[in-house]
Amino acid sequence: MAGNVNSFISKLHKELETSVNRINNSTVGAQRKIYAELLDLLKQLEVDSNGQIKNSVQNIIKISSLKQRINAAILNKEWIKSSGDFVKAFDVVSQLQSNYFSTLISDFNPPQVLDAVKQDAITSVLDQLRGDGVKVSVAKGVEDILRRNIKSGASFADMVDTMRSYIVKDSSGDGILQRYVKQITTDAINQYSATYNKVVVDDLGFEWFRYTGSNLETTREFCTLMTDKDYFHISELKTILAGTIDGHKYHINPKTDLWDGAIKGTNEQNFFINRGGWQCGHQIIAVPESSVPESYKSKIK
């Protein structure tokens, strides 16, 4: 039984991580196109003999043509395909989850509501990847930088450097589109997977769970403690969310009364979906009591 659980967890996390990495890699080319479009526009700005941008009517007018050209650069055929390929992962995750629960319950049938949950998740993420969200996330920042530099008469060369950092690569190593897409896709696919598990748990009444996934240098304290803990019983949830995990008190953010990075309003009901918080790549997996090590069960007893 433990082998089946571990195999499922490994396959699930591989699919979750691969789907996010694949679409994020595709943003590199999109960002280059955006920057190329922008450079062409910037070359049309009026500058004085010292290389300072003129605060002129003509320069201000050029700002209005910015959004349309950047939006066209983002929403090209390649990006439409990349986003379409990404949502195929929802079907793969559904099948992995269904196969897993079928090994635990001989007559398992996924609750019908899951089809609607999946379609809603796909519609939502495509709206964010192809709609106003992605356009605003990129174009608004560029527009603000351009307007600020024109009005202040800044150095043209300095503004180009600022634009390059903003669009192509900042101090984190990612460009603006990468940062936006990474957040959207990570939350979308991981929250869908978590929702699938939660719907089945509500239907079948599992009481034991595992907090799974890899930890990185940026992993929040809460997730590190939970992955170290690994197994937990539903009766422990109140203590966990109140600030203590196996006797260790984690830092509570006074603004949310939760751990740093948590989604505001996380409670015992939605924790299984929210998990560690925004951009959390961990999962809470329902497991049969028979697969739980005796050392864990004895603590609960």
Side-chain angles (χ1 to χ4, degrees):
M1 181 60 70
N4 289 337
V5 175
N6 290 332
S7 176
F8 162 67
I9 290 172
S10 176
K11 291 177 180 177
L12 178 64
H13 280 286
K14 182 179 180 179
E15 178 60 28
L16 295 173
E17 293 166 9
T18 299
S19 64
V20 172
N21 289 338
R22 188 185 301 118
I23 189 170
N24 275 279
N25 289 339
S26 73
T27 63
V28 175
Q31 287 177 162
R32 291 197 186 109
K33 290 184 178 180
I34 294 170
Y35 186 59
E37 287 287 331
L38 185 60
L39 278 181
D40 185 57
L41 179 67
L42 296 181
K43 290 175 183 177
Q44 300 174 32
L45 293 177
E46 297 178 341
V47 298
D48 63 22
S49 58
N50 295 318
Q52 307 296 118
I53 306 167
K54 291 183 179 181
N55 186 4
S56 66
V57 174
Q58 290 302 315
N59 279 348
I60 297 296
I61 291 175
K62 285 185 174 65
I63 297 176
S64 63
S65 66
L66 178 74
K67 288 183 180 180
Q68 185 175 357
R69 294 186 63 173
I70 289 182
N71 292 342
I74 298 172
L75 302 179
N76 53 45
K77 291 181 180 179
E78 290 83 358
W79 181 247
I80 298 300
K81 183 180 184 304
S82 294
S83 55
D85 289 343
F86 169 72
V87 298
K88 293 177 183 177
F90 287 78
D91 288 328
V92 179
V93 168
S94 298
Q95 192 61 56
L96 287 170
Q97 294 270 15
S98 178
N99 291 346
Y100 170 63
F101 285 109
S102 293
T103 65
L104 306 182
I105 303 162
S106 58
D107 59 347
F108 173 74
N109 286 308
Q112 290 184 349
V113 69
L114 285 170
D115 285 335
V117 170
K118 181 177 68 175
Q119 190 54 54
D120 179 67
I122 289 174
T123 299
S124 176
V125 73
L126 285 179
D127 283 346
Q128 294 176 83
L129 292 176
R130 298 175 178 177
D132 291 339
V134 66
K135 291 184 287 189
V136 170
S137 72
V138 178
K140 181 63 167 61
V142 171
E143 184 181 359
D144 289 344
I145 293 172
L146 187 58
R147 180 175 287 108
R148 184 169 61 252
N149 279 270
I150 289 175
K151 289 185 176 180
S152 65
S155 161
F156 180 83
D158 289 346
M159 185 183 68
V160 170
D161 286 341
T162 300
M163 287 292 191
R164 183 186 300 111
S165 297
Y166 178 74
I167 296 173
V168 181
K169 185 179 292 186
D170 70 350
S171 57
S172 71
D174 293 333
I176 178 59
L177 189 59
Q178 284 175 295
R179 297 195 297 275
Y180 174 83
V181 170
K182 185 180 294 183
Q183 176 189 335
I184 296 302
T185 55
T186 298
D187 288 341
I189 193 66
N190 278 279
Q191 287 184 6
Y192 170 68
S193 178
T195 300
Y196 191 112
N197 215 271
K198 178 65 165 59
V199 169
V200 174
V201 166
D202 289 344
D203 193 47
L204 300 177
F206 283 82
E207 294 187 349
W208 281 98
F209 306 90
R210 292 183 65 181
Y211 200 90
T212 65
S214 303
N215 291 331
L216 308 171
E217 289 184 9
T218 55
T219 296
R220 49 183 66 95
E221 178 190 20
F222 177 87
C223 289
T224 299
L225 292 171
M226 285 300 293
T227 50
D228 286 345
K229 180 176 177 58
D230 198 353
Y231 294 85
F232 70 93
H233 189 265
I234 196 168
S235 63
E236 299 179 88
L237 204 50
K238 185 174 182 180
T239 300
I240 289 172
L241 297 183
T244 302
I245 300 174
D246 282 351
H248 183 96
K249 293 185 179 298
Y250 58 80
H251 177 260
I252 295 291
N253 188 323
K255 294 182 179 179
T256 62
D257 289 328
L258 295 165
W259 57 93
D260 290 328
I263 297 174
K264 189 175 182 180
T266 295
N267 53 39
E268 291 182 47
Q269 285 69 47
N270 59 32
F271 169 63
F272 289 89
I273 298 173
N274 293 348
R275 298 154 294 111
W278 300 113
Q279 294 194 63
C280 179
H282 295 94
Q283 290 287 303
I284 299 173
I285 306 299
V287 296
E289 185 172 351
S290 59
S291 72
V292 180
E294 191 59 39
S295 59
Y296 287 89
K297 290 189 283 189
S298 62
K299 293 179 182 179
I300 300 302
K301 294 176 182 179

